[in-house]
Amino acid sequence: MAGSGKTSFVKKFSSYLYDKQDNPYVINLDPACRDVPYLVNVDIRNTVNYKEVMKQYKLGPNGGIVTSLNLFSTKFSQLIELLDILSKNTSNLCILDTPGQIEVFTWSASGQIITEALASIYPTVLIFVVDIVRSTNPVTFMSNMLYACSIMYKYKLPIIVVLNKIDIVNHKYAIEWMQDFEVFQEALEADSSYISNLTRSMSLALDEFYSTLKVVGFSSVSGEGTEELLQLIKLAGEDYEKNYRVEWIRLRDEKAKSEQLEKARKLKSVLKEEGLGSAVALVTEVGIGREVADIYLKHPANESSDDSEGEETPFKPADKTMKESFMKFLQRHKEKNIEQKNTMSNPTTSGTSDLTSPGPSTS
Ligand SMILES: Nc1nc2c(ncn2[C@@H]2O[C@H](COP(=O)(O)OP(=O)(O)OP(=O)(O)O)[C@@H](O)[C@H]2O)c(=O)[nH]1
């Protein structure tokens, strides 16, 4: 819940753990917060500039937060790698502070990716911080509880409701409302509006939710309720192992099995189903006859070279014509040379040879 004191809660709770030498690993996932008043190990603001995202994508504040978270979630595997290294050396708590608006984190794609990525590896517990000062009205209280209920049903993870600011208002009234249906009904009597009628029927439906809900009063100023909260976190961790983890493993195995079955079914249909044409026998035996060798070993480069039996390839007609023409040319050249020699020895015949002797053939 926005303004319920989440940041103050993380500050108080983490400083308590630091004091106990139980150093937590703290991650801030709120890109829009101005200051982070606690020791933070990973801060989304170091990865994504929320204001720049708003400017570049022309978004309002909520759109900017959602988009920043989307961008951050694409790098979340790197954070998981970091947590992996860390979890090998320590079993300390990792605390994530999320943006307050429920639609921005809980009901957003990145919120789901981040939560489910963590829950698939580590025991994960949700903490829903309620401003007990602003919940004294039974209808407001019911609305807050419906929020908590919706988050629990969405993620199916153990949830702890932290009734914050008990240094201002004692949370006793809220505990009574949750434990005793009649007391809550009495509180509702004062309100005869339509909403109140709806709340009456809703309260009946929520009775079961209350019976399993882990609730603790807390003060982010004084730190009251911290020990009780730690006990509840331990119990919720056990719940995670008994219920969420077991169910997660079952679903994972079921998915793997159905994928395998689907793969086998597809393979079978490729092999057997009609519409693939008639079967063609595979060549299982190759004879050593010439025809096979001719098909596979013949190559244009073999045309002018010796064949496998050592015989020279005979001249083709075109080659023969060329040879004859060349021989004729050589003959004429020879005759011309003889004529020139004769002319030199008998100058009176000069000039006639050029007119009578034919030039080289161009054929
Ligand atoms: N007295 C008292 N004041 C508290 C307590 N927790 C938080 N506050 C005050 O409540 C106001 C809101 O607290 P934040 O911690 O900023 O609340 P938030 O839920 O992180 O706010 P957003 O991030 O804006 O949703 C601040 O003025 C706090 O000082 C508490 O336990 N007791």
Side-chain angles (χ1 to χ4, degrees), residues 287-318:
I288 50 162
R290 260 202 73 124
E291 35 337 307
V292 175
D294 284 348
I295 292 166
Y296 294 109
L297 302 177
K298 201 167 176 183
H299 188 277
N302 291 344
E303 296 281 296
S304 62
S305 61
D306 286 354
D307 66 16
S308 57
E309 288 161 30
E311 286 172 2
E312 189 67 41
T313 310
F315 268 124
K316 288 183 179 166

Side-chain angles (χ1 to χ4, degrees), residues 132 135-142 145 171-188 203 207 210:
I132 199 68
S135 302
T136 47
N137 179 298
V139 179
T140 312
F141 178 78
M142 173 66 77
M145 289 302 116
H171 63 296
K172 237 178 163 183
Y173 76 90
I175 301 288
E176 274 180 10
W177 283 353
M178 281 190 273
Q179 285 174 349
D180 195 333
F181 180 72
E182 299 294 323
V183 177
F184 186 65
Q185 290 302 309
E186 273 169 32
L188 279 176
S203 64
D207 220 32
Y210 289 152

Side-chain angles (χ1 to χ4, degrees), residues 17-150:
L17 293 171
Y18 273 115
D19 288 348
K20 272 183 57 182
Q21 310 284 318
D22 232 351
N23 299 0
Y25 198 76
V26 186
I27 299 168
N28 172 43
L29 289 181
D30 189 352
C33 71
R34 264 198 225 130
D35 299 308
V36 176
Y38 44 79
L39 274 175
V40 66
N41 299 83
V42 175
D43 191 342
I44 187 171
R45 298 177 310 160
N46 295 334
T47 312
V48 197
N49 185 336
Y50 154 76
K51 289 228 164 111
E52 201 51 45
V53 169
M54 272 173 70
K55 224 180 359 188
Q56 272 194 25
Y57 294 89
K58 296 188 174 62
L59 297 166
N62 278 359
I65 299 175
V66 172
T67 309
S68 300
L69 273 165
N70 286 347
L71 293 170
F72 186 76
S73 67
T74 62
K75 301 272 172 204
F76 202 71
S77 57
Q78 288 174 20
L79 188 57
I80 295 270
E81 279 168 26
L82 253 174
L83 292 177
D84 259 351
I85 299 167
L86 205 81
S87 63
K88 278 184 188 122
N89 308 319
T90 166
S91 60
N92 294 6
L93 290 174
C94 171
I95 306 167
L96 289 97
D97 189 8
T98 66
Q101 303 88 323
I102 197 161
E103 67 282 2
V104 161
F105 188 79
T106 312
W107 294 99
S108 72
S110 46
Q112 181 161 0
I113 291 169
I114 291 171
T115 312
E116 288 181 356
L118 287 168
S120 67
I121 308 169
Y122 309 107
T124 307
V125 175
L126 304 171
I127 292 185
F128 186 69
V129 181
V130 174
D131 185 338
I132 199 68
V133 182
R134 286 195 280 145
S135 302
T136 47
N137 179 298
V139 179
T140 312
F141 178 78
M142 173 66 77
S143 307
N144 283 336
M145 289 302 116
L146 281 171
Y147 264 149
C149 186
S150 70

